Amino acid sequence: MPYSSSMIDLHSHSSRSDGALPPAQLLAHAAAVGLRALALTDHDTTAGLEEAADAARRHRLQFVPGIEFSAAWRSQSVHVLGLWIDPDAPALRAGVATQLDRRHRRIRAICAHLTREGLPGDRLLSMVEARTPLPTRAHLADALVEAGCVRDARDAFRVHLGRGRAAAVAADWPALAEIVGWIVAAGGVASLAHPTRYSLSATARNRLLTDFVAAGGRALEIGCGGNALHHLDACAALALRHGLEATVGSDFHGARMPWNPLGRLAKLPDGLVPAWRSRGIGGDEDG
Ligand code: AMP
Ligand code: MN
Ligand code: MN
Ligand code: MN
């Protein structure tokens, strides 16, 4: 797979959501691997942005304030990156507060299911809540491993937490259009994350993109992390068809997902417009 040496990574996670590194360490790591620009896009929170921006200044790295929102499109959960957001914009702040609330309710519901499965749901819930103010299924997977309920995090998803499993809880994320609205109100660029990771037919995927554009979506993430080359072409075709700009990112989480190292980025296929061009970053996305 052709990798870009542009060193602009617009999708990463810190320990403020389910990443391994605290924001300042994430930026130090970004500098060490030679990145020029990094976006911190934690799941449904902006809590790490200030610390990350400070560290970016110390490391002379261009920093893009971001977020990765969980949204609903029809019955599908989708992820929308908000890039160049103002975290203090009232609509965004209100949105983030409701997401946090949803996440706490959801993790409690999942743990109740685990209890019904005969697992120590209450203890698992306490473990998660002691560890993070922003509970994700990734934290719960870690707790299941630590409590000796499963061998590893992958097993936790495969056996308990994944789609269709006994403890799977249909998320009640806000509609895609509403989430895009928060991002736009915060002056950000909405980019649909890893568009080939959703289990949708080609027709449904195109409808999703049509709705995304109608809601104010501006960009599409092209080749995320471990995505194979054919995904790159599929993403590029979708972006061109729907008139979307391109973003690239690794979806770095740290050791949890060693297949997504920081700065491993797809080389943009010809004809795509990088969303960062007009934002004063780079100038030569391939060089
Ligand atoms: P949530 O946003 O609460 O649904 O949590 C999902 C998070 O769990 C994702 O962002 C991934 O970081 C992680 N995750 C999802 N599926 C798996 C899997 N099969 N194995 C390990 N981690 C996963
Ligand atoms: Mn994650
Ligand atoms: Mn995602
Ligand atoms: Mn991500």
Side-chain angles (χ1 to χ4, degrees):
M1 158 164 189
Y3 290 118
S4 167
S5 55
S6 68
M7 292 314 200
I8 293 161
D9 191 331
L10 298 180
H11 187 163
S12 73
H13 296 273
S14 78
S15 56
R16 296 307 180 99
S17 65
D18 59 352
L21 302 177
Q25 280 183 38
L26 174 71
L27 269 289
H29 183 46
V33 301
L35 284 182
R36 221 177 342 153
L38 179 78
L40 174 61
T41 54
D42 273 318
H43 295 289
D44 300 303
T45 181
T46 56
L49 294 181
E50 211 175 292
E51 181 183 325
D54 284 347
R57 276 190 285 275
R58 287 197 301 278
H59 293 287
R60 299 180 189 286
L61 229 131
Q62 296 190 62
F63 180 67
V64 177
I67 191 164
E68 181 176 17
F69 274 122
S70 314
W73 182 75
R74 301 188 177 178
S75 59
Q76 174 78 44
S77 288
V78 297
H79 284 175
V80 185
L81 298 169
L83 298 167
W84 294 281
I85 52 164
D86 170 8
D88 294 324
L92 189 103
R93 284 174 71 132
V96 164
T98 67
Q99 291 293 80
L100 185 62
D101 203 53
R102 268 187 203 92
R103 280 193 169 277
H104 280 286
R105 276 189 274 125
R106 174 167 169 254
I107 214 81
R108 282 198 296 270
I110 297 174
C111 287
H113 279 287
L114 290 174
T115 300
R116 260 170 254 140
E117 279 187 70
L119 294 170
D122 290 341
R123 181 153 75 92
L124 292 162
L125 181 62
S126 307
M127 288 167 77
V128 169
E129 292 196 326
R131 193 160 310 171
T132 176
L134 186 108
T136 72
R137 286 183 300 162
H139 294 100
L140 186 52
D142 290 347
L144 281 160
V145 176
E146 218 175 288
C149 303
V150 293
R151 250 184 330 180
D152 54 28
R154 246 180 89 183
D155 241 28
F157 278 92
R158 201 175 51 75
V159 181
H160 300 290
L161 307 178
R163 236 229 274 218
R165 299 296 152 212
V169 169
D172 66 335
W173 304 122
L176 175 68
E178 187 180 353
I179 297 260
V180 171
W182 300 343
I183 295 169
V184 172
V189 169
S191 179
L192 188 74
H194 41 69
T196 56
R197 220 185 277 169
Y198 314 117
S199 57
L200 293 171
S201 69
T203 308
R205 205 178 309 278
N206 274 305
R207 288 211 185 103
L208 162 65
L209 271 277
T210 301
D211 289 354
F212 179 64
V213 170
R218 277 257 310 268
L220 194 63
E221 187 173 55
I222 307 294
C224 181
N227 274 180
L229 187 56
H230 66 278
H231 285 188
L232 207 62
D233 295 336
C235 290
L238 280 172
L240 290 171
R241 172 168 178 173
H242 293 276
L244 290 161
E245 295 177 353
T247 68
V248 294
S250 62
D251 201 11
F252 176 75
H253 282 73
R256 179 193 301 291
M257 300 183 188
W259 54 89
N260 285 353
L262 196 63
R264 184 207 267 179
L265 305 162
K267 181 179 182 296
L268 274 194
D270 289 341
L272 294 182
V273 179
W276 58 88
R277 260 281 153 82
S278 55
R279 295 277 170 162
I281 291 179
D284 176 9
E285 74 276 9
D286 297 333

